[in-house]
Amino acid sequence: MTFRTIPGEGPLRLVVVGAGEMGRTWLRAIVESPLADVVGVVDVNEAAAHAAAPAGAISGTPLSEVARRCAPDAVLDVTAPAAHLTVTLEALELGLPVLGEKPLAATLPEAVKLVRAAEQAGELFMVSQNRRFHPGLWRLKREISALGRVGILTHEFFRAPHFGGFREVMDHPLVLDMAIHNFDAARFLLDADPVAVYCEEYNPPWSWYAGNAATTAVFEMTGGIRFVYTGSWCSPGQETSWNSNWRVSAESGTATWDGAGAPRTEPTDGQLHREHDDEQAGDRGYPGDDLHGSLAMFVRALRGGVVPMGECHDNLQSLAMVHAAIASAESGTRVSVAEVLRTAG
């Protein structure tokens, strides 16, 4: 994928679309960063846009009018998933690259449509998977790279949040709303893409979710690796971190990570290897934590033309894992990810 670059050294001029809770979180991150400035804020609720806009930024609706008035370099889409298609298409039609919040789109066919629109426009469309940017995950990736060929990656996510609102009434709440973080992180760790999946969804009798809040899925990844995902959003007691528990079994040893501290590695030579607690992940290309990492990678891509992690073609594979898992759970069969993508587009 090639895309138009924006040469220069100053802060990237951004219009933020979406002034809800996540939009305000992004606004704070941008204000803290030297890499970008907020020149506009857009929301269907103009009062919300005005209230969220930093001093000097244009606010209002629609995007086309705010963009005309503030001449941005790019758009940050922090709207609800149902609006991702409309907002991203409008931005691309205006000749503006887009950094969007996950998921890429509300449905897989909409996601395929956006990927094609980015190709036709020649503009960068990147999806922020902020949990890819935890320093512990990057350290785990470095450690397993020294263990040779990977055979299996196992993952455990057990928490019991009482969100209220849409998550407790939606279908597939765990897989649709949370698991894409874990699926995407698995692709990052393994440098592999999904081939097929067998998935079971279920709902424990004490669950306060209307949809299935627990899932086990076995993915075949490229290279013959297996990624085994197990998770639940209604598992009180001894909860995992939000970044899950990970275990990688490779030909020359095993590495584990609890999602919070430093990863631990035990190679077959019997020596325990561990990343030094004071080591800076940035020494090896780490772009920054959480939203700051996503923003840094987006700006770097637009300034230098290097395809970033989360570029829409790449991120489509993570979203396809979600929809293939759901298709498998609904059909009770092993599902080809390539076939799910073919059907979607």
Side-chain angles (χ1 to χ4, degrees), residues 122-139:
E123 298 288 351
L124 174 62
F125 174 30
M126 172 184 158
V127 179
S128 171
Q129 294 279 172
N130 64 306
R131 292 186 184 274
R132 264 203 192 201
F133 296 98
H134 192 289
L137 190 71
W138 283 61
R139 292 174 183 176

Side-chain angles (χ1 to χ4, degrees), residues 2-344:
T2 58
F3 50 84
R4 180 178 64 89
T5 58
I6 303 174
E9 297 181 355
L12 199 72
R13 296 168 56 85
L14 293 177
V15 165
V16 177
V17 184
E21 180 180 355
M22 193 63 192
R24 295 191 298 273
T25 300
W26 261 108
L27 286 164
R28 289 191 293 270
I30 297 167
V31 168
E32 295 169 358
S33 172
L35 299 177
D37 287 333
V38 178
V39 297
V41 177
V42 176
D43 197 279
V44 291
N45 181 338
E46 292 196 54
H50 297 327
I58 302 297
S59 58
T61 195
L63 170 59
S64 57
E65 176 59 21
V66 173
R68 184 190 66 78
R69 296 173 59 195
C70 66
D73 294 318
V75 167
L76 173 59
D77 179 11
V78 203
T79 58
H84 288 185
L85 178 68
T86 301
V87 171
T88 303
L89 285 177
E90 183 177 7
L92 294 173
E93 289 168 0
L94 291 170
L96 295 170
V98 179
L99 174 60
E101 263 294 321
K102 68 88 184 172
L104 194 159
T107 69
L108 203 56
E110 288 183 356
V112 172
K113 183 175 182 177
L114 286 181
V115 170
R116 290 175 177 165
E119 291 174 351
Q120 293 168 1
E123 298 288 351
L124 174 62
F125 174 30
M126 172 184 158
V127 179
S128 171
Q129 294 279 172
N130 64 306
R131 292 186 184 274
R132 264 203 192 201
F133 296 98
H134 192 289
L137 190 71
W138 283 61
R139 292 174 183 176
L140 177 62
K141 181 179 176 68
R142 288 205 307 273
E143 291 199 9
I144 65 177
S145 68
L147 295 178
R149 292 170 295 183
V150 174
I152 185 169
L153 168 63
T154 61
H155 162 281
E156 294 180 337
F157 176 81
F158 293 106
R159 295 190 70 87
H162 287 264
F163 293 111
F166 72 93
R167 290 182 181 89
E168 293 190 5
V169 297
M170 69 186 292
D171 295 331
H172 319 289
L174 181 65
V175 174
L176 269 179
D177 193 62
M178 182 63 196
I180 188 170
H181 285 300
N182 313 127
F183 295 173
D184 183 74
R187 290 184 56 239
F188 170 68
L189 285 175
L190 299 172
D191 286 322
D193 285 326
V195 175
V197 61
Y198 178 77
C199 176
E200 290 187 354
E201 283 189 304
Y202 44 97
N203 213 24
W206 62 85
S207 173
W208 50 94
Y209 293 84
N212 290 324
T215 303
T216 297
V218 179
F219 285 93
E220 178 189 352
M221 308 294 287
T222 51
I225 304 168
R226 293 304 188 269
F227 165 47
V228 181
Y229 170 91
T230 302
S232 171
W233 251 354
C234 53
S235 291
Q238 299 193 45
E239 296 184 3
T240 64
S241 80
W242 279 99
N243 293 304
S244 311
N245 287 337
W246 300 85
R247 181 184 180 96
V248 182
S249 176
E251 63 179 327
S252 297
T254 293
T256 61
W257 182 47
D258 66 2
R264 300 173 63 90
T265 305
E266 186 173 346
T268 51
D269 62 12
Q271 297 181 19
L272 181 64
H273 294 262
R274 184 182 302 169
E275 289 291 342
H276 298 297
D277 292 338
D278 61 351
E279 179 179 348
Q280 296 298 310
D283 292 343
R284 301 190 186 181
Y286 178 62
D289 195 10
D290 200 40
L291 302 183
H292 293 282
S294 292
L295 180 63
M297 196 154 279
F298 183 65
V299 174
R300 184 184 304 169
L302 287 174
R303 294 303 193 201
V306 178
V307 178
M309 292 195 313
E311 191 273 334
C312 59
H313 293 77
D314 172 71
N315 191 255
L316 184 63
Q317 292 291 324
S318 297
L319 187 62
M321 292 176 76
V322 170
H323 289 280
I326 291 171
S328 173
E330 291 179 340
S331 66
T333 63
R334 188 172 188 264
V335 169
S336 161
V337 177
E339 180 61 20
V340 167
L341 279 169
R342 187 194 66 78
T343 302

